[in-house]
Amino acid sequence: FLEMLSNPMLIPVQGTLNVVMNQNVTLSCHSDSGSPPVRYTLFKCSQKVSTLNMPDFTPGLFNLTINSASDVGEYKCKAENNISSGGKYSNSLNFTLIEPISKPVLSSPTSQAKKGQNVTLFCLSENGSLPISYIFFKGRKSISPPVKMQKREAAVIFLFINSPSDFGTYKCRAENSFCNNTKYSNSFNFTLEEERSHSQPLIISLGLILLLFVIGFALAIPFFIIPSYKASE
């Protein structure tokens, strides 16, 4: 008694469709019912990649290497036996190419601050697959929940400088779905901006007035003092 094959299932043996460049992956194609032997054919975007002949219900295992972005296209497999007409097709799979993130850069519009001032920090990784999650730290203590960015934009945190301890060392951390790929930024420190004394503008103004008086007196000498001296002779 010969039985037609069921539609095969195509699954990634490694358990995930997230891949990196030059990674080796294996796809399993398997019909769980029907009469053997079974011929499995793997297709990528309707183009035949490889064919395996299995004498029993052992899954057909296709080994691939992701060498370029074109290798992450749509994959399907077809199962055929001696009585199948046209074969049965599987579900489709698409790999997602994951790029590791670069070291994030922590920056601020200002490097100086004073007590009572609001400041802003920006954290951005220029490279890496989205989304990217960022966390801000002061010292070793996190000062923000994870900020997930779906676009290539910097994560932002607003801070209020309230005490000398707020001038400590800041960092941020970035990570994406690439396994074991967490990167920390450069360190950033705010420096205390020296506040000007309220008496400084007054002292400067008085100094300018005195200087103008001296210059005016010097200019007046030829017109008033010298003629008076000649008249007295």
Side-chain angles (χ1 to χ4, degrees):
F1 177 74
L2 296 177
E3 183 182 2
M4 292 188 64
L5 293 169
S6 60
N7 287 85
M9 287 292 297
L10 184 65
I11 60 172
V13 172
Q14 63 273 10
T16 178
L17 290 171
N18 293 334
V19 295
V20 298
M21 199 68 72
N22 301 318
Q23 180 178 338
N24 295 319
V25 296
T26 301
L27 293 178
S28 170
C29 184
H30 181 231
S31 289
D32 58 8
S33 65
S35 299
V38 183
R39 182 168 65 253
Y40 294 110
T41 304
L42 182 68
F43 295 86
K44 183 176 75 67
C45 300
S46 302
Q47 298 294 317
K48 185 169 74 172
V49 176
S50 182
T51 298
L52 297 172
N53 293 300
M54 310 304 296
D56 50 26
F57 279 115
T58 303
L61 299 179
F62 297 95
N63 298 310
L64 308 170
T65 301
I66 305 301
N67 289 316
S68 67
S70 63
D71 293 328
V72 298
E74 182 185 65
Y75 288 86
K76 281 188 176 182
C77 71
K78 181 174 73 172
E80 302 171 277
N81 65 2
N82 293 331
I83 66 168
S84 61
S85 176
K88 296 292 183 71
Y89 285 87
S90 73
N91 55 298
S92 62
L93 292 180
N94 285 276
F95 289 107
T96 300
L97 189 61
I98 301 298
E99 180 187 3
I101 55 175
S102 58
K103 180 179 178 178
V105 175
L106 185 64
S107 62
S108 175
T110 179
S111 61
Q112 291 188 324
K114 55 188 176 182
K115 187 177 179 181
Q117 181 178 342
N118 292 306
V119 293
T120 307
L121 284 173
F122 298 93
C123 184
L124 176 65
S125 285
E126 292 286 352
N127 299 300
S129 300
L130 299 170
I132 298 176
S133 292
Y134 297 95
I135 298 179
F136 292 88
F137 294 83
K138 186 168 77 68
R140 296 185 178 181
K141 182 181 179 181
S142 64
I143 56 173
S144 75
V147 180
K148 182 174 286 189
M149 304 300 295
Q150 302 289 345
K151 297 180 180 180
R152 190 74 61 189
E153 296 176 349
V156 183
I157 188 172
F158 302 98
L159 304 172
F160 180 67
I161 303 299
N162 192 43
S163 66
S165 64
D166 294 328
F167 290 92
T169 300
Y170 292 87
K171 281 190 176 185
C172 68
R173 187 180 74 194
E175 59 187 4
N176 63 2
S177 55
F178 190 94
C179 293
N180 301 319
N181 183 231
T182 297
K183 296 286 181 67
Y184 284 87
S185 72
N186 53 294
S187 299
F188 190 93
N189 291 76
F190 291 104
T191 56
L192 179 62
E193 181 181 352
E194 294 184 4
E195 297 187 17
R196 287 186 175 182
S197 171
H198 294 294
S199 62
Q200 274 188 322
L202 179 60
I203 294 173
I204 293 173
S205 299
L206 291 174
L208 288 174
I209 292 172
L210 180 61
L211 178 62
L212 290 173
F213 178 78
V214 172
I215 293 174
F217 180 76
L219 292 175
I221 290 176
F223 297 99
F224 295 101
I225 297 178
I226 296 177
S228 299
Y229 175 75
K230 287 183 177 180
S232 64
E233 287 181 346

